[in-house]
Amino acid sequence: MPNICILDFLSTNLRLCAIYAPESKSWKWDQLSEFISNKCVLIGDFNVDLTIDSTKAIPLLKWADNMFIAPYVPDSFTSKRSNRTIDYAFSRGFSLQIQTYKGHTTSDHHPIIAILPVKMNNNLIGKNTRWKVFSLFSEFTYSYWKKQWSLENIESTYNNYTLFLSLLLTRCTTTFPCGKYRSSIPSELRCFLSYIRSLSFRYLRTKNLELKKEIIHLKRIAKNELKRFFSTQLNNLVHIRNTSLPAANFFWSKSRNHIKSSTSSLKGLISSSGSIIKNSMQMSEIAADYYETFFMKHDIIKPHPYTDSPIPDFDNSAEQIPEISLNELMLIVNTRKKKKSLDAHGINSFMFNYLDVSHWSFLLDLYNRSFRSGILPSTWKESRMILLAKKDAICTPDLTRPISIIDSFSKIGECLFLSRFKSILSKRGLLPDTQSGFRNNFRLQIRILLFLEDIYGHLANSSPICTLFVDYKSAFDNIWHEGCVGKLRRLGIPIAYTNWIFNWINNRKSFIEINGYRSRWFSIGKGAPQGSVLTPSLFITFHCDMSSFLSNFTSHCFADDVAYIISGQIGLRYSDQCLDLEKRIKSLLDLLEVYSVLTDQPLNYEKTEAMFSSRAIGAPKIDIKFSGHSQNISWKSDFKYLGYIISSKLGWNKLIKNTETKVRKRISLIKSFKIFGCSSAPLRKALFQSYIIPIFTWIYPIFPLLTRNQQIKLSHFYYTSLRRTLFLLEWNNFLISFLLNESSLEDRCASYWNRFFISLADNIDGTLLYEKTNFALFRESWLNGDYPISCLRKNKRFIHHESVIQKVLNWLSLVPSNSSIPEIDFNDLEKLQLFPESFV
């Protein structure tokens, strides 16, 4: 076949197919079916954009679904001429990472880089820790450390203590080379296999043909017995997967590692010269050079209102941090998730499961002393930093995310302080209702619904709308230490709290580790560690006044994701509204720059984007930009905000296609997933419920807002995905629902919303959503003339508006109350089998 090259890598059983599929190709997609293997990758120029070219994409995706291969598409376009994404990959058997290479190229296409997770034949090293020995030794040494523990000389005492625990952990751990994995089988079956092996050796000596026939017969029996044994083991594992047994952890770790990648691993760094560096030692030093410069303290022009203005006298200024009781400390220790990742001193929190309880008594004294005096051991400020790729696995250092693994005992202290800090924030009422990130009773889904409600309301007034999505550059890593603490003091946070925060955040240092290679130590002059439970709450408190600073504009915040909604003045002509909208946008941009300079929180000009929405056809040409940046802000037809792809016309086609792509990837991986070398229908159904249904669950909040055709299409795709997962493509939706007791997607969504309405009454942001609904009802009454308002007259361009809650209630009223699972009498099935003609 022309323009197709196939390579087989025998050592890894991988097949790589490079494809160029022009419009004039002489072959069809079905002709590639014979080349698809269990582990294969098809990569190249398919000349079809899966999002835009819907007519061409349907046969390609249909063929891919039949072959259980999933598409992997880069985030940015690959064709320079048409700005379409036509270069991508299909994979079967494993997940891969794909990205567009942004370097110089003479081609009319951007090259793509695909990273395949192929296991190398390296000698792996296993570890075994004798935790009982560790626990007994920690209990035995308690009296010694009780005598040595001195709060007066806490620096050396704590350093010696952590060094002791690290060395003890190392002493109790043995390493060994991992051989080839071999499943454990029953002794009688193992003896039977040994007997067949001995007969095989005898045949090699005697060349007896009768013996050969007997060996073949016995091997067939052994193969069936092994298959039956592993199938039984698999069924038992699926049955106990949701229990607390150790085998359940084995099931979830195996499936999670194969199907769902939790983080983006860094495979290489692009240097300033454009070359790709994969050597771990060089990567760690390059990253250290970058982050040492990045974390340097900024020069702030003084005097500054956050640090030099008079501090008001609050009634709680002298309030002390409450002391910790031993019961509270042990509750935090026992409820915290224990991880095995080592900190900078070789200690992990998993060790707390086996550290003798008596040791926490003198650690309790350390925490209470720290809260009283605001002094922390310097070791608590040392962290081990690992890098995650934000998007692409091969990138420049500025496109990585530094995650700090802080001191294990410091984490416990931060949890204890955070509970007290949140209590102060609640008493002072500092956090605004527009902020939904890292707060109890504030849900991401309700923030999306509030965001949509505002846009729907402005569109009902026929106002042109600009939605500005503001991005702050490395938000957590750019917190100004002195300004943050000074601002907290002027917001009414007691001095004892601000002193502790300043000593915790100041004078930190770290090193970067990549694949076991450590860089040099470097100082951190700004930012808070990403990896600490305290950092998010500190960030949203530092910016709690942002919505009041920009009070003329509607804002929606989730942590550092900020969206501003600006609309033109109602009651004017459309052209005048657009001019008024342009003035308001420029005013917002000026205020944003002032706030950015005031808080020393730099804006990411390149990633700040805008979206125009209007009931009118077309959009005016409005050039907007920050005064401190020469490049205009780009207008987008759609934007991904908080995980939802929102278009300018509030359509959901792109979100549905994105959901279908994710589901296809998971189904392809579920088909290739095996435990003990085999798979089964219960295993695939368990994986479907664990890794595919959550993707559909993400759409539940906006499902009632979809058009009826979109709802039907998505419901049908749900059943199709279930059929493909269970290899029941010949069954229809009715049969699937009846025999497998599976509810439809519509029923699942209705059940979700019935529970969601109950939880809305207990949440603060649920109250905000009900307030929006009441406002929409009053607006309708005003339009109908029931409640006239002075100085406000109706306009014929004002249209009927249903709030989000009303739309959901209207949709729920149309959903049948009875279940979508058909109820059929089994006697009728017997009659159907015996007398099929009577059911015609």
Side-chain angles (χ1 to χ4, degrees), residues 100 538 553 813:
T100 304
L538 186 63
F553 309 95
S813 65

Side-chain angles (χ1 to χ4, degrees), residues 230-284:
F230 287 133
S231 178
T232 305
Q233 291 286 93
L234 178 60
N235 290 335
N236 293 337
L237 197 60
V238 174
H239 180 70
I240 66 173
R241 70 186 187 277
N242 291 328
T243 64
S244 58
L245 297 175
N249 295 330
F250 170 78
F251 174 85
W252 291 116
S253 62
K254 283 283 185 182
S255 60
R256 190 184 301 112
N257 293 337
H258 182 79
I259 295 175
K260 185 179 179 181
S261 57
S262 56
T263 57
S264 301
S265 57
L266 185 66
K267 301 297 182 182
L269 288 176
I270 301 176
S271 64
S272 56
S273 61
S275 59
I276 298 177
I277 298 173
K278 297 183 180 180
N279 183 276
S280 300
M281 185 179 296
Q282 294 179 3
M283 288 170 62
S284 63

Side-chain angles (χ1 to χ4, degrees), residues 96-379:
L96 56 86
Q97 294 177 331
I98 191 167
Q99 67 184 80
T100 304
Y101 178 67
K102 300 295 179 59
H104 176 70
T105 174
T106 56
S107 171
D108 60 348
H109 285 229
H110 290 290
I112 54 175
I113 302 174
I115 299 173
L116 283 61
V118 178
K119 291 184 178 179
M120 305 301 292
N121 295 326
N122 296 333
N123 294 326
L124 300 179
I125 302 297
K127 292 183 179 181
N128 182 28
T129 304
R130 294 175 176 84
W131 289 110
K132 288 185 178 180
V133 177
F134 180 90
S135 179
L136 290 172
F137 206 85
S138 64
E139 180 183 1
F140 175 74
T141 57
Y142 165 70
S143 57
Y144 168 80
W145 282 109
K146 187 176 182 180
K147 295 177 183 177
Q148 296 294 321
W149 199 261
S150 171
L151 293 178
E152 300 300 326
N153 193 13
I154 193 59
E155 287 289 341
S156 60
T157 303
Y158 183 77
N159 290 342
N160 292 335
Y161 180 69
T162 54
L163 180 61
F164 159 73
L165 291 179
S166 176
L167 293 175
L168 177 59
L169 186 63
T170 305
R171 185 66 181 86
C172 295
T173 303
T174 56
T175 59
F176 52 89
C178 292
K180 188 176 180 181
Y181 170 76
R182 308 186 78 172
S183 302
S184 176
I185 58 177
S187 57
E188 60 273 11
L189 189 53
R190 191 166 58 249
C191 292
F192 184 53
L193 293 175
S194 300
Y195 174 68
I196 296 175
R197 192 182 301 110
S198 64
L199 291 182
S200 301
F201 289 146
R202 185 186 302 175
Y203 165 72
L204 291 176
R205 294 194 306 269
T206 61
K207 304 296 183 182
N208 190 333
L209 295 179
E210 294 296 327
L211 185 60
K212 180 180 180 181
K213 292 179 181 179
E214 183 181 359
I215 292 171
I216 293 174
H217 176 66
L218 293 177
K219 282 184 176 181
R220 189 178 295 113
I221 295 175
K223 186 177 181 180
N224 292 333
E225 290 296 325
L226 281 172
K227 186 182 295 185
R228 187 179 299 110
F229 169 73
F230 287 133
S231 178
T232 305
Q233 291 286 93
L234 178 60
N235 290 335
N236 293 337
L237 197 60
V238 174
H239 180 70
I240 66 173
R241 70 186 187 277
N242 291 328
T243 64
S244 58
L245 297 175
N249 295 330
F250 170 78
F251 174 85
W252 291 116
S253 62
K254 283 283 185 182
S255 60
R256 190 184 301 112
N257 293 337
H258 182 79
I259 295 175
K260 185 179 179 181
S261 57
S262 56
T263 57
S264 301
S265 57
L266 185 66
K267 301 297 182 182
L269 288 176
I270 301 176
S271 64
S272 56
S273 61
S275 59
I276 298 177
I277 298 173
K278 297 183 180 180
N279 183 276
S280 300
M281 185 179 296
Q282 294 179 3
M283 288 170 62
S284 63
E285 291 300 330
I286 290 175
D289 291 340
Y290 170 77
Y291 279 107
E292 184 176 24
T293 305
F294 176 82
F295 284 118
M296 288 180 62
K297 187 176 180 180
H298 288 170
D299 293 329
I300 305 296
I301 299 176
K302 297 292 185 73
H304 194 281
Y306 289 174
T307 58
D308 303 304
S309 62
I311 301 177
D313 188 18
F314 296 99
D315 55 354
N316 64 340
S317 298
E319 183 177 343
Q320 297 298 313
I321 305 175
E323 288 200 351
I324 310 160
S325 65
L326 185 59
N327 290 336
E328 182 186 4
L329 174 60
M330 295 312 302
L331 180 64
I332 292 291
V333 172
N334 294 329
T335 54
R336 284 284 298 172
K337 187 176 181 180
K338 312 298 190 301
K339 297 182 180 180
K340 294 186 177 181
S341 53
L342 298 175
D343 60 17
H345 313 105
I347 300 176
N348 56 32
S349 56
F350 187 79
M351 177 196 68
F352 296 163
N353 291 325
Y354 303 95
L355 183 65
D356 189 68
V357 179
S358 57
H359 282 243
W360 291 104
S361 60
F362 45 80
L363 286 166
L364 175 66
D365 296 335
L366 173 61
Y367 293 130
N368 283 328
R369 176 184 180 272
S370 174
F371 286 174
R372 284 194 305 268
S373 63
I375 299 174
L376 289 74
S378 59
T379 313

Side-chain angles (χ1 to χ4, degrees), residues 29 311 710:
W29 300 116
I311 301 177
Q710 289 173 335

Side-chain angles (χ1 to χ4, degrees), residues 789-802:
I789 302 175
S790 59
C791 302
L792 186 63
R793 58 188 181 87
K794 291 181 288 186
N795 191 311
K796 62 180 181 180
R797 294 170 60 194
F798 294 168
I799 63 171
H800 172 71
H801 167 57
E802 273 188 348

